[in-house]
Amino acid sequence: MDALHATARETHQHAHTVSHHHHTHANTAGLKSINLALQGGGAHGAFTWGVLDRLAEEERLGFDGISATSAGAMNAAVFAYGFSEGGRAGAKKALANFWRRVSHAAAFSPLQPTLFDRLLGNKSLENSPGFMMFDMLSRLLSPYQLNPLNYNPLRDLVAECVDFDKLRMTCCPVKLFLSATNVRTGKVRVFDNDEVTVDAVLASACLPFMFQAVEIDGDPYWDGGYMGNPCLYPLIYDCASSDVLIVHINPLERKHMPQTAAEILNRINEISFNSSLMREMRAIHFVTRLIDSGELKSKSMKRMLIHSISANAVMNELGHTSKLNADWEFLTSLRDAGRAHADTWLKENFDRLGQESTVDIRETYL
């Protein structure tokens, strides 16, 4: 019990590290406003693209805030930019353009499925000579040795797909919270609308075995997934909506016991990247119980309604190396899966928004 109290207090204290101003935008009558929490997962983020693509079409749905990490941060920045530029249609167009550009850039990469794997429909890269060479070198040499010029193909791509001035709080209708991990302190940093830049997005997606740390304000940053995948507390304290829809990319549960070295390392990363989210969910569950029982009447604590769209069934069928596969056919298949999952979720749960959680927190996260 003391540990849960401490977790709840820590979650509350974290809110003060976010320098987001409490700006609100008038909701159109009849809209149900929600917050989105987007996980990272490399090319698997195309599943989230599909979810966002379908949600953007739902005219009964409004978007308050988005907290995101890694590939989720890229999706969030592109979605918010497109929404700011052209509303729902603008968001859909911006996302499609971004992922098409990702696929075009990857076409020149050595990380490609073999012809045999393509014929068999295998989306993983285990048999790719380019991947095997890269995987071996990355275990022996750091990005500072392998890539001394610090070239990152995503830098130009993100800069060309997002006008960051359109994300500022004065003109963007969606609040953004992008997470990155401070390498020196081990703490999470959350970048809000006025702080989001190309560097902030790249920092949120900086895998330390692939890229050099991204330096911002004199501090080096790695992927935000280590400390917040994604962070929920900004959505609790800086957004009006009580509904949080989590789009899961990293499976919470795997029935298959990992046995190869690569599978073990991947499962360790999945558990690590889910741990911060699990911790916040425990705090939310604890506070919810106190509110429902009448033991907690503080106005500073808000009852949150949690929802989720999970890609477990999809991701469990894919090899972990497919996170680096940006083949257009693969990306669009993930997009279509995301759209289908979102469509099903809307049909089953839209009427419950604003009323109750549609996921059992205790069963799913505790």
Side-chain angles (χ1 to χ4, degrees):
M1 183 66 72
D2 290 339
L4 285 174
H5 274 292
T7 303
R9 284 198 303 271
E10 183 174 315
T11 303
H12 179 72
Q13 290 165 357
H14 273 323
H16 300 294
T17 68
V18 183
S19 60
H20 200 290
H21 300 294
H22 293 262
H23 71 295
T24 58
H25 300 268
N27 285 329
T28 304
L31 279 185
K32 286 193 175 185
S33 183
I34 65 170
N35 300 305
L36 300 173
L38 311 179
Q39 287 195 325
H44 292 178
F47 176 90
T48 303
W49 165 27
V51 171
L52 295 174
D53 191 68
R54 176 61 185 92
L55 295 180
E57 295 174 357
E58 187 57 59
E59 296 187 357
R60 301 173 297 169
L61 204 60
F63 305 98
D64 191 356
I66 305 179
S67 181
T69 295
S70 200
M74 295 185 183
N75 274 320
V78 172
F79 178 88
Y81 159 66
F83 207 95
S84 180
E85 275 279 90
R88 299 173 188 277
K92 288 168 60 68
K93 181 179 179 181
L95 284 167
N97 176 58
F98 171 74
W99 284 100
R100 173 64 82 173
R101 296 284 295 275
V102 168
S103 179
H104 283 170
F108 301 99
S109 165
L111 303 180
Q112 302 287 335
T114 65
L115 178 60
F116 185 66
D117 283 328
R118 289 182 188 275
L119 292 174
L120 291 178
N122 180 15
K123 307 303 182 183
S124 297
L125 301 179
E126 283 95 343
N127 301 318
S128 165
F131 171 77
M132 288 189 283
M133 178 64 70
F134 169 77
D135 186 50
M136 181 181 69
L137 289 175
S138 66
R139 294 173 188 271
L140 299 173
L141 301 171
S142 80
Y144 297 88
Q145 298 166 308
L146 281 175
N147 185 13
L149 298 180
N150 199 21
Y151 171 68
N152 187 337
L154 291 174
R155 177 174 292 279
D156 289 342
L157 194 155
V158 171
E160 291 168 2
C161 290
V162 179
D163 180 349
F164 287 89
D165 287 336
K166 299 291 185 180
L167 299 182
R168 304 298 167 243
M169 286 185 280
T170 54
C171 57
C172 185
V174 182
K175 304 183 186 78
L176 283 180
F177 308 95
L178 308 187
S179 301
T181 302
N182 188 307
V183 180
R184 291 199 181 100
T185 67
K187 296 179 180 179
V188 67
R189 176 171 175 181
V190 179
F191 297 89
D192 66 23
N193 293 64
D194 286 345
E195 298 170 320
V196 172
T197 61
V198 173
D199 281 339
V201 174
L202 294 182
S204 183
C206 180
L207 292 171
F209 294 108
M210 293 186 67
F211 303 110
Q212 296 183 25
V214 178
E215 188 170 306
I216 301 175
D217 299 331
D219 286 319
Y221 290 93
W222 282 340
D223 195 292
Y226 294 107
M227 294 304 295
N229 194 27
C231 288
L232 299 185
Y233 67 81
L235 303 177
I236 299 172
Y237 293 100
D238 290 273
C239 294
S241 175
S242 296
D243 289 280
V244 177
L245 172 59
I246 305 169
V247 181
H248 287 281
I249 296 296
N250 301 290
L252 291 170
E253 179 182 347
R254 281 192 183 272
K255 295 182 179 180
H256 169 68
M257 177 64 192
Q259 296 183 342
T260 69
E263 288 175 341
I264 292 170
L265 181 60
N266 178 63
R267 188 55 183 155
I268 289 172
N269 285 333
E270 287 178 343
I271 293 171
S272 173
F273 275 28
N274 281 322
S275 62
S276 58
L277 176 63
M278 304 273 275
R279 184 179 182 186
E280 285 193 282
M281 294 305 296
R282 289 190 184 97
I284 290 172
H285 178 67
F286 175 65
V287 171
T288 300
R289 287 180 56 197
L290 292 180
I291 292 174
D292 289 348
S293 66
E295 296 178 55
L296 182 62
K297 299 179 180 180
S298 171
K299 293 183 180 180
S300 65
M301 292 294 183
K302 181 168 60 175
R303 192 183 195 286
M304 301 305 296
L305 306 177
I306 305 300
H307 317 277
S308 74
I309 294 177
S310 172
N312 277 7
V314 177
M315 300 310 168
N316 277 320
E317 297 299 318
L318 298 174
H320 67 279
T321 60
S322 63
K323 292 178 181 179
L324 297 175
N325 180 4
D327 180 77
W328 182 242
E329 182 183 354
F330 178 49
L331 295 181
T332 53
S333 70
L334 288 174
R335 176 204 61 194
D336 293 345
R339 280 187 56 86
H341 278 67
D343 187 67
T344 299
W345 183 86
L346 284 168
K347 290 176 180 176
E348 295 177 351
N349 300 298
F350 181 84
D351 291 339
R352 297 166 68 185
L353 288 174
Q355 305 296 322
E356 61 182 348
S357 293
T358 58
V359 61
D360 188 327
I361 297 177
R362 184 179 183 86
E363 179 180 338
T364 306
Y365 298 101
L366 306 188

